[in-house]
Amino acid sequence: MATQVLQNPLELPISARLAKNLKRNFVERVIEFMLMLAALSAVATTLAIVFVLIYESFAFFEHVSIVAFLTDTQWTPLFEDAHYGIMPLVAGTLTTSIIALLVAVPIGTIGAIYLSEFASHKTREIVKPILELLVGVPTVVFGYFALLFVTPMLQKIFPGLPSFNMLGPGIVMGIMIIPYISSVAEDAMRAVPMSMREGSYAMGATRFQTAIRVVTPAATSGIVAAYILGISRAVGETMVVAIAAGQQPNLTFDPMESAATITAYIVQVAMGDLPHGSIGYQSIFAAGLVLMIMTLVFNILGHLTRKKFREAY
Amino acid sequence: MTQASVLKNLDEVRAMIKRHKLNDYIFAIVGLIALMIGLLTLLTLFIDLVMDGFERFSLEFLTNYPSRRAVNAGLLSAWVGSLLVMVVTFLSAVPMGVAAGIYLEEYAPKNWFSDLIEINVTNLAGVPSIVYGLLALGLFVYILDLGQSILTAGLTLGLLILPVVIVATREAIRGIPVAIREAAYAVGATKWQVVSQHVIHYSFGGILTGVIIGMARALGETAPVITIGALTFIAFLPPSPVTTEPPFLNFEWLSSGFTVLPIQMFNWLSRPDHAFHVNAAATGALIIVVTLLMNGTAIWLRYRIRKNIKW
C-alpha cells in the first residue's frame, strides 16, 4: 500500500487522474451551491415578509376602503361600531418618536463629537464598550423603567400627567437610541481626513472650533444618516410604548396624553385571542404594512445619505 | 503703532485665547456628561430593578410556576421556555448565518446578484422586530401550521438574529490576510478545504462574538414572540428533550406551548396589582444580568482577539 501512496501521480493513467478531479470538483460545486442557498435565505426572508404583509392586508382592504383607512380619524377595529382610520396610530408613533429624537439628537451628537474629537484613546476604549452594553439591554426592561420610574418622576414635575402617557416612554426611547446615534455619528466624524483637522489647527483654531466648524460640517451627511436611522429605530420600537404609553388609539400630538402606537396596537391584538382570518387579525397586518413602509423609507434615506459621505473623500 | 496700543492689542488676543480655551474645557465637560447619561441610566435602571425586586430574590422564584398570588409566583416555566427557544434559535441561525457569511465573503462573484443579497441583509437588520413576529404569525403559525410552539418562536428569533450572525461572520473573515489562503492553495487545497480548515478556524473568535451578541438579543426580544401568540400563563413544563429510554431524545417539546422570560415580565408588569410589579422587577434584574453577562463576554472576547492577533 505504501508504495502506492508514494507513487508519482503523473505515472497514473490520465483517465484516473481526471476522474478524481471530477469528483473533487463536484463536491466543491455542491458545497458552493449549499452556501449560496444559505445566503439566499436573506432574500427569501425579505420576500416572505413582503408576501405575508401584502397578502393579509389585501384581505383587510377587501372590507375597508383605502380612503377610509387613510382619512378616518378613529381606529376601533374591535368595537361594535368599527372604524379603520390609521391616523391615530400614526400620530402616536410619530409623537413618541419625535420626543425620542428631541432627547437623543442633542445628547447623541455632543457625545459623538466628544468621543471623536476630545476623548483620549483610553477614554474611548472604556466608553465605547459601555455604549454597546446599553444597546444590548432588552427593551421590555426599558418599558418597566418608563412606567415605574420615569413617569412617576415626571408626575412630580407635571402633576396632571396620567400614568400612561407618551412623554415618559418617548424620553426612555430617546435614551435607548443615544448610543446608536453616537456610534454612527462618531464613525462619520472619524472618517473626516486628519489633514482637514491639521489645517484648522495650523490656523490657530482650538479643538472646539475645529470640531464645530470643520469636522461637523464635513461629516454632516453621516450625522444626518445617524439621525434618520435613529428615527427608524424609534418608529419600530414596541415594548416601551406598549407598556408605558397606553393602549387607547388617540388622534393627538400632545405628549401629556396617552395614545397607542402602531406597534402597541399589534401587541394588544396579539395578546388577545383573535380568530385567524377575522378582520381584527387582518388589521394587524395592515398596521404592520404601514409600519414596514415607514421604517423602510427612513432606512433607505439613511443608507443613501450614509453612502454619500463615504464617497466624499 | 505705539507700544501701548500693541500691548493692549496683545492683551485682547490673550483674552481671546483664554476664552477659546475655556470653551474647549467647557465642551469637554458637557461631552463627558452627555456620554455619562447612557451609563448613569443603565446604573439607575439596574439599581431600581434590584431594589424593587429584592424581596423576590430566592430559589423558589426560579422553581415555582406562575400563580395568581404574586408571592408564590415563579419563573420556572419562563426560564425553561427561554432556554428551549434559544436552543432552536441557535441551531437555526448559526449554521445558516455562518454559511451565508462565508458565501458572501469567499465565494460570491461581484455582480448584481451578490449586491441583491447584501442589500437584503442590510435591510433585514433595520426591519422592526415586531414585523418578524407578523411574518411568523402568517407564515409559521398558519401557512406552515407549526402552531404557537417553541419551534415557531425559535425559528422566528433565528430569522431575527440572522443578519447579526452574517455581518459578524463577514467581518471576522475579512480580517484574515490573503497570504493565509494563498499558502493553502499553494499546497493544493481546494477552495472548500481552504475555507473549512483555515478561514473558519481563524475567524472562529469573531464569529463567536457575533453569535453571543445575537443570542443575547434573542433572549431579550419580546414583541415578535408575543405576536406569534405565546401564552402568558403557563403552569407546566414542555416534555423533556432527554428521556431515559432509547432513543433518549424526544422532540415533542418542539410543538409544546411555552412562555419566555420577557413575556412573563411583560405579563406581570401589565397587571394593576403592585405585588406583581415586584415580580416583574425581579425578572427584569435577572434578564439584565444574563444579557449583560453575554454581551460583556462578547465585547471582552472581541477586545482580546484584536489585541492578541497580529498578522
Side-chain angles (χ1 to χ4, degrees), chain A residues 7-54:
Chain A
Q7 193 182 23
N8 184 354
L10 290 175
E11 284 169 17
L12 285 168
I14 284 185
S15 59
R17 272 185 278 144
L18 271 183
K20 206 170 183 185
N21 283 351
L22 269 178
K23 189 186 153 208
R24 197 166 128 138
N25 285 349
F26 179 71
V27 172
E28 287 287 311
R29 289 277 160 203
V30 170
I31 287 171
E32 181 174 349
F33 183 70
M34 278 160 59
L35 292 176
M36 189 185 76
L37 283 186
L40 277 178
S41 66
V43 183
T45 311
T46 311
L47 288 180
I49 289 176
V50 172
F51 169 75
V52 167
L53 287 182
I54 290 184

Side-chain angles (χ1 to χ4, degrees), chain A residues 143-205:
Chain A
Y144 178 95
F145 195 53
L147 181 69
L148 296 177
F149 189 87
V150 174
T151 297
M153 223 162 68
L154 289 171
Q155 277 169 333
K156 285 185 189 137
I157 308 170
F158 310 106
L161 195 71
S163 52
F164 292 111
N165 60 75
M166 293 194 274
L167 188 60
I171 293 174
V172 171
M173 254 165 39
I175 296 172
M176 269 172 55
I177 56 177
I178 287 173
Y180 187 70
I181 289 189
S182 288
S183 79
V184 178
E186 196 231 342
D187 284 345
M189 288 180 193
R190 304 256 281 171
V192 173
M194 217 30 159
S195 58
M196 287 179 76
R197 289 190 191 89
E198 282 158 359
S200 167
Y201 290 141
M203 304 291 286

Side-chain angles (χ1 to χ4, degrees), chain A residues 133-134 136-137, chain B residues 42 46 287-297:
Chain A
L133 279 182
L134 198 63
V137 175
Chain B
L42 192 59
F46 186 64
I287 298 176
I288 279 209
V289 168
V290 176
T291 50
L292 284 192
L293 274 180
M294 289 172 81
N295 280 313
T297 313

Side-chain angles (χ1 to χ4, degrees), chain A residues 24 28 31-32 35-36 38-43 45-46 48-49 51-53 56 107 110-115 118 123 125 127 129-134 136-145 147-149 175 178 182 206-209 212 232-233 236 238-239 242-243 247 263 266-267 270-271 273-276 281 284-285 288-289 291-292 295-296 299-300 303, chain B residues 20-21 23-24 27-28 30-32 34-39 41-42 44-45 48-49 52 96 99-100 102-104 107 113 116-117 120-132 134-135 137-139 142-143 148 159 162 166 188-193 213 220 222-223 226-227 229 232 262 265-266 269 277 280-281 284 287-288 291-292 295-296 299 302-303:
Chain A
R24 197 166 128 138
E28 287 287 311
I31 287 171
E32 181 174 349
L35 292 176
M36 189 185 76
L40 277 178
S41 66
V43 183
T45 311
T46 311
I49 289 176
F51 169 75
V52 167
L53 287 182
E56 297 285 355
I107 299 178
I110 292 174
I113 295 177
Y114 177 80
L115 261 189
F118 284 79
T123 319
E125 289 285 291
V127 170
I130 293 175
L131 289 182
E132 276 183 69
L133 279 182
L134 198 63
V137 175
T139 57
V140 66
V141 179
F142 277 112
Y144 178 95
F145 195 53
L147 181 69
L148 296 177
F149 189 87
I175 296 172
I178 287 173
S182 288
T206 61
R207 275 188 175 200
F208 181 62
Q209 287 170 322
I212 296 295
S232 161
R233 289 247 154 153
T238 309
M239 292 324 289
I243 290 170
Q247 308 260 319
T263 50
I266 298 175
V267 165
M271 295 286 288
D273 207 13
L274 268 186
H276 174 225
Y281 171 85
I284 62 175
F285 288 91
L289 186 64
L291 179 73
M292 181 75 190
T295 51
L296 196 66
N299 281 338
I300 291 174
H303 285 297
Chain B
H20 287 159
K21 281 203 164 155
N23 278 348
D24 249 31
F27 186 83
V30 172
L32 201 59
L35 278 179
M36 284 302 127
I37 286 178
L39 176 62
T41 316
L42 192 59
T44 325
L45 173 60
D48 182 42
L49 284 173
D52 289 357
M96 197 80 127
I102 290 173
Y103 179 78
L104 289 174
Y107 286 88
F113 180 70
L116 178 77
I117 297 176
N120 265 294
V121 174
T122 324
N123 254 331
L124 283 179
V127 170
S129 61
I130 197 163
V131 172
Y132 283 94
L134 289 173
L135 164 69
L137 181 64
L139 186 67
Y142 290 114
I143 297 180
Q148 295 160 342
L159 283 184
L162 196 61
I166 295 179
T190 63
K191 191 151 197 169
W192 176 241
Q193 284 169 332
I213 290 177
T222 324
I226 290 183
T227 312
T232 49
M265 179 178 175
F266 176 56
L269 194 51
H277 291 173
I287 298 176
I288 279 209
T291 50
L292 284 192
N295 280 313
I299 292 167
R302 183 165 58 206
Y303 178 77

